Amino acid sequence: MTVYNLARRRILKCVSGLSRFGTKSLPGLEVHNLSLFKRKNATLTPTQKGPWSVLFFGSDEFALDSLRALHNQYRLQKLLCRLEVVTAYKGKENCLTKYAKENGITVHQWPVNVNNLDFHIGVVVSFGHLIPSHIINSFPLGIINVHASLLPRWRGSAPIIYALMNGDTETGISLMKIKPKRFDVGEVIAQEKTTVGPEETQPELYTKLARMGSKLLIKTVEKLPDVLCCGIPQSEESVTYAPKITADISFVKWNEMTAKNVFDLNRALTGLYPLRTNFKEQAVKLSDIRIFSDIPDVISSGDIEAGTVIYNKESDSLLVKCKENTWISIKKIRIPGKPQMPALDFRNGFMGGQKLKSCNFY
């Protein structure tokens, strides 16, 4: 009986708040969104300051931080009165599904049937699917998205990777309104910046931005619905794109990339793909890569072509020439069919020991 009464009080708390005002109290919201909501459930109208019912769309570890933050608020029953999850997976369950099941959160498989759902607002974090108009319009407050860049820079599915690849020294989190048919084009309603360390890697920045995104999401939900009227359109003049990457991006182009370009690419792909290059018609994998500045005079000549590999005894590494007479060092290399080897073993086994002073990557 105690459990029943507690559940009943929670339901009454959510429903009673929903009856406090009509559609005129929601500035900036489209009337047809509200009328659709009324048609679905004529006894409910949106609350002015919450608690909110939230449908969460996500797919990966980045989204999990935001789901946890929302779930913590839901358990307090002040900011949220309902929380359910939409996700997409084939075969093995993803981390969101596992978390939801462990915490008794209802999960809907994408594509979702909105005719059977009644929520105030949708939240999208790292979902990877375009959401059509009829789903967006089913939420009286629309759908907001947590995106890991300072929009309009790096629209697309891989903003963290592209920020690191391009040597960005600043990035951040943007919260925007979702629009149909195109990714990442909605008005920005909140944004927070952070610096990118010169040696920061993809896993490190990923974790930092996931936490930032979850905190900014809660701050934004606390300001509903007023914050939705403060959206700023994105400048089309500053747009850059971060499309989905493939393993092919890990191949180094020695004559097109400086040492810093190579180092930044390695930072961006850490934990995803090792850098690769061609050697004697094989794709070899490179690791433990650094920019090498203390180049001996004997190899500093501009006549050496990009991709030239020289073993350096002092640093116990392979030095490879890049664009603009810059160099990187490589401590470890893996040849197909063989275990990873240190630079000295590669020199002895594949550069003829003392017989050859250099070889070439391409």
Side-chain angles (χ1 to χ4, degrees), residues 29-81:
L29 297 182
E30 297 179 8
V31 174
H32 70 273
N33 286 4
L34 299 175
S35 62
L36 176 61
F37 186 72
K38 287 180 179 179
R39 286 197 301 272
K40 292 175 61 182
N41 194 332
T43 63
L44 300 180
T45 55
T47 65
Q48 186 173 2
K49 297 296 180 182
W52 308 106
S53 55
V54 175
L55 185 60
F56 184 89
F57 299 76
S59 63
D60 60 16
E61 293 285 347
F62 190 88
L64 185 56
D65 268 72
S66 290
L67 178 59
R68 283 198 189 102
L70 289 171
H71 183 236
N72 288 338
Q73 293 297 321
Y74 169 71
R75 287 187 293 187
L76 295 174
Q77 287 291 301
K78 293 181 179 179
L79 189 60
L80 271 66
C81 63

Side-chain angles (χ1 to χ4, degrees), residues 275-294:
L275 293 197
R276 294 184 292 170
T277 188
N278 290 310
F279 172 68
K280 293 184 177 180
E281 299 183 356
Q282 296 184 96
V284 300
K285 299 177 180 180
L286 315 174
S287 59
D288 202 345
I289 297 169
R290 311 291 300 180
I291 297 174
F292 196 83
S293 301
D294 189 20

Side-chain angles (χ1 to χ4, degrees), residues 108-348:
H108 304 272
Q109 177 75 314
W110 179 261
V112 66
N113 182 4
V114 295
N115 293 326
N116 299 323
L117 304 173
D118 294 304
F119 292 89
H120 298 125
I121 191 167
V123 173
V124 172
V125 187
S126 193
F127 185 52
H129 297 271
L130 280 173
I131 300 178
S133 298
H134 73 278
I135 293 182
I136 298 173
N137 293 337
S138 70
F139 296 92
L141 300 179
I143 302 179
I144 58 175
N145 172 228
V146 179
H147 185 76
S149 81
L150 298 176
L151 291 170
R153 187 163 178 79
W154 305 132
R155 291 178 180 174
S157 61
I160 296 173
I161 293 171
Y162 278 83
L164 291 168
M165 278 174 52
N166 286 272
D168 289 5
T169 58
E170 183 180 70
T171 187
I173 293 291
S174 299
L175 261 69
M176 65 179 171
K177 298 178 184 179
I178 285 286
K179 289 188 175 182
K181 300 181 181 180
R182 293 176 63 195
F183 285 112
D184 307 332
V185 298
E187 293 90 350
V188 175
I189 59 175
Q191 200 166 72
E192 186 173 329
K193 298 179 180 180
T194 186
T195 57
V196 180
E199 298 190 0
E200 197 163 10
T201 63
Q202 185 272 149
E204 293 167 339
L205 187 56
Y206 185 98
T207 299
K208 180 167 72 175
L209 290 178
R211 291 172 180 168
M212 280 181 59
S214 66
K215 292 178 181 178
L216 188 59
L217 172 62
I218 298 304
K219 290 179 183 178
T220 302
V221 174
E222 288 174 344
K223 298 175 183 177
L224 290 174
D226 299 338
V227 70
L228 298 173
C229 305
C230 303
I232 300 174
Q234 297 182 39
S235 168
E236 291 299 320
E237 296 177 359
S238 305
V239 173
T240 57
Y241 294 97
K244 185 177 180 179
I245 65 164
T246 67
D248 290 341
I249 201 171
S250 66
F251 274 94
V252 179
K253 299 176 182 178
W254 302 105
N255 61 343
E256 298 178 16
M257 302 171 69
T258 66
K260 186 176 186 310
N261 295 151
V262 177
F263 181 67
D264 288 341
L265 179 63
N266 187 58
R267 291 195 298 138
L269 299 183
T270 297
L272 301 172
Y273 305 111
L275 293 197
R276 294 184 292 170
T277 188
N278 290 310
F279 172 68
K280 293 184 177 180
E281 299 183 356
Q282 296 184 96
V284 300
K285 299 177 180 180
L286 315 174
S287 59
D288 202 345
I289 297 169
R290 311 291 300 180
I291 297 174
F292 196 83
S293 301
D294 189 20
I295 305 298
D297 293 338
V298 69
I299 63 171
S300 62
S301 171
D303 295 334
I304 300 174
E305 67 178 335
T308 297
V309 185
I310 298 172
Y311 176 74
N312 181 253
K313 183 178 181 180
E314 287 72 19
S315 63
D316 188 23
S317 63
L318 302 174
L319 304 185
V320 188
K321 184 177 180 181
C322 307
K323 182 181 177 181
E324 298 176 2
N325 199 29
T326 57
W327 295 74
I328 62 161
S329 67
I330 301 169
K331 291 280 190 178
K332 298 175 183 178
I333 186 169
R334 184 167 185 175
I335 307 291
K338 298 183 179 296
Q340 182 175 262
M341 67 186 76
L344 180 59
D345 287 357
F346 177 80
R347 194 280 302 267
N348 292 335

Side-chain angles (χ1 to χ4, degrees), residues 13-24:
K13 178 181 178 182
C14 188
V15 173
S16 63
L18 292 170
S19 62
R20 288 201 296 269
F21 71 102
T23 62
K24 292 182 180 180

